[in-house]
Amino acid sequence: GDLFSGYEAFGDGNILMATPEKALFDTLYLIPAKSHFFKRLTELEIPDHFNFGYFKKWLKKVKNKGRRSIINKELIKKFNFGD
């Protein structure tokens, strides 16, 4: 499974930036990392057009069951959304 999707080109140089959905997914994906940079989401503003449905697509691509479970638990805990 390829997790390198969810990016849009911006500006003249077509710089790839994560969509809001992908940025949040990547943050939740990194929560179990040894560094503590991603342990807490302090301030978070979800745009009106935010589509939690994209998470199901990316969750299916996470091969590690433990990591997939952590991401899903965080979605439920923080946003009341998950499998």
Side-chain angles (χ1 to χ4, degrees), residues 31-67:
I31 281 177
K34 289 186 180 182
S35 76
H36 295 282
F37 292 123
F38 302 98
K39 296 290 182 204
R40 293 177 53 195
L41 298 176
T42 52
E43 293 184 27
L44 188 63
E45 188 174 316
I46 302 293
D48 292 336
H49 65 277
F50 198 87
N51 185 348
F52 279 103
Y54 289 129
F55 281 90
K56 287 188 180 195
K57 179 179 85 172
W58 289 314
L59 269 176
K60 289 178 184 175
K61 294 180 180 184
V62 176
K63 292 180 182 178
N64 183 294
K65 284 183 180 181
R67 183 157 295 212

Side-chain angles (χ1 to χ4, degrees), residues 24-34 38-41 55 59 62-79 81-83:
L24 180 59
F25 178 85
D26 287 347
T27 301
L28 296 178
Y29 183 88
L30 292 170
I31 281 177
K34 289 186 180 182
F38 302 98
K39 296 290 182 204
R40 293 177 53 195
L41 298 176
F55 281 90
L59 269 176
V62 176
K63 292 180 182 178
N64 183 294
K65 284 183 180 181
R67 183 157 295 212
R68 193 169 51 241
S69 176
I70 290 169
I71 295 168
N72 199 50
K73 286 178 187 174
E74 290 296 322
L75 282 172
I76 293 168
K77 183 169 74 173
K78 292 178 178 18
F79 307 105
F81 176 87
D83 285 341

